């Protein structure tokens, strides 16, 4: 299993600013993912965070808007850049231990509100 | 687009009754998983069923998978107020190292 610490847990930000969300795992993991959950909606995968290289982004998400770092096997950050009210969502870090599309462990999420 | 379609979108039942949620998907999968989310926070993994399995049990949970119909169901027996949450199916897509989540079912258990 894995214990994930995600912070901040919530933030209220002004339009045009950026927020960096941190995800720390208590053990080395194969895969780390960032998801977005818009109000009342399901989870949408933003990107797979790759250790030591550029993240792999899903369709509709770009590096300039959502830069991601993963300097080692236990830590990743997601930045939401130049925010607008449409970015108001829950952002979730998740990890998978085996690299075989098995069970995901989730952080508690970051509730972001953009004014 | 989302892989999974879930129904119903919302379900409200009395405590002690059984709750059934359904999930349909579109492409070939390695496995199908169910997760629970309380109050819009982190998701908790409930159960995983592989593509070569047809039924799986875990406590009060029973999951079925019909790959010919590309559908799955989650049954929660003898429901409790603490089961109130949103439930999501997620599919492990063949050839891709990621899960794709369905739209979710909001389950409310009334005391």
């Amino acid at each position: 299993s894995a214990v994930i610490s995600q912070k901040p847990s919530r933030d209220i930000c002004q339009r045009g600013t950026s927020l960096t969300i941190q995800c720390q795992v208590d053990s080395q993991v194969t895969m780390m993912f960032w998801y977005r959950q818009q109000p009342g909606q399901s989870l949408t995968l933003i990107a797979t965070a790759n250790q030591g290289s550029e993240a792999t982004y899903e369709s509709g998400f770009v590096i300039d808007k959502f830069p991601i770092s993963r300097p080692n096997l236990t830590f990743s950050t997601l930045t939401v850049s130049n925010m607008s009210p449409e970015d108001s969502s829950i952002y979730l870090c998740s990890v998978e231990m085996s690299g075989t599309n098995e069970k995901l462990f989730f952080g508690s999420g970051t509730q972001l509100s953009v004014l | 687009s989302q892989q999974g379609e879930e129904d119903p979108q919302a379900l409200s039942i009395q405590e002690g009754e059984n709750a059934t949620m359904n999930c349909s998907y579109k492409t070939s999968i390695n496995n199908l998983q169910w997760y629970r989310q309380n109050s819009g926070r982190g998701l908790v993994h409930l159960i995983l069923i592989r593509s070569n399995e047809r039924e799986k049990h875990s406590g009060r949970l029973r999951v079925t998978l019909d790959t010919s119909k590309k559908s799955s169901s989650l049954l929660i027996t003898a429901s409790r107020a603490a089961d109130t949450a949103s439930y999501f199916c997620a599919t492990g897509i063949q050839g891709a190292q990621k899960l794709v989540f369905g739209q979710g079912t909001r389950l409310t258990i009334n005391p």
Side-chain angles (χ1 to χ4, degrees):
Chain A
S1 65
V3 177
I4 302 170
S5 173
Q6 186 176 337
K7 50 184 167 181
S9 60
R10 62 176 62 238
D11 208 340
I12 301 173
C13 300
Q14 296 297 318
R15 183 195 301 259
T17 63
S18 298
L19 175 70
T20 296
I21 303 167
Q22 297 182 0
C23 178
Q24 178 74 56
V25 191
D26 68 342
S27 56
Q28 293 184 352
V29 296
T30 304
M31 308 292 289
M32 294 184 78
F33 305 96
W34 288 98
Y35 283 88
R36 180 177 73 182
Q37 186 178 28
Q38 294 176 302
Q41 302 297 313
S42 184
L43 282 71
T44 300
L45 181 62
I46 297 172
T48 302
N50 300 310
Q51 190 230 339
S53 64
E54 189 172 297
T56 303
Y57 289 85
E58 297 297 305
S59 176
F61 297 95
V62 295
I63 188 171
D64 289 347
K65 177 66 176 177
F66 298 101
I68 289 170
S69 77
R70 188 179 174 190
N72 55 52
L73 291 175
T74 64
F75 185 77
S76 178
T77 66
L78 167 73
T79 299
V80 186
S81 303
N82 188 25
M83 288 184 284
S84 67
E86 292 71 34
D87 295 319
S88 297
S89 294
I90 297 173
Y91 292 86
L92 292 149
C93 169
S94 71
V95 304
E96 200 267 328
M97 308 297 285
S98 68
T100 58
N101 278 350
E102 300 274 327
K103 175 179 178 179
L104 289 184
F105 296 89
F106 281 84
S108 56
T110 297
Q111 174 88 57
L112 172 61
S113 297
V114 184
L115 305 179
Chain B
S1 62
Q2 292 292 339
Q3 162 80 324
E5 301 282 338
E6 293 187 56
D7 78 273
Q9 291 187 353
L11 178 62
S12 181
I13 61 174
Q14 295 299 120
E15 195 166 19
E17 295 179 340
N18 296 340
T20 299
M21 290 159 271
N22 303 296
C23 170
S24 62
Y25 57 92
K26 298 176 182 175
T27 61
S28 296
I29 62 172
N30 294 321
N31 62 65
L32 188 143
Q33 305 175 36
W34 287 88
Y35 289 80
R36 183 182 69 212
Q37 185 180 38
N38 290 89
S39 303
R41 306 309 285 180
L43 279 72
V44 175
H45 182 269
L46 295 176
I47 194 166
L48 178 152
I49 187 166
R50 300 186 191 282
S51 59
N52 61 353
E53 297 175 311
R54 292 298 167 258
E55 186 171 312
K56 203 158 186 180
H57 297 251
S58 177
R60 294 184 296 113
L61 305 181
R62 183 174 78 107
V63 170
T64 62
L65 178 64
D66 187 336
T67 53
S68 67
K69 296 181 179 178
K70 290 186 167 55
S71 67
S72 174
S73 67
L74 171 67
L75 168 67
I76 303 174
T77 60
S79 63
R80 306 167 181 169
D83 295 328
T84 295
S86 292
Y87 291 82
F88 294 90
C89 67
T91 47
I93 308 299
Q94 280 189 5
Q97 289 209 316
K98 61 182 181 181
L99 294 185
V100 178
F101 283 79
Q103 294 300 309
T105 295
R106 292 188 307 278
L107 175 64
T108 302
I109 308 299
N110 301 304

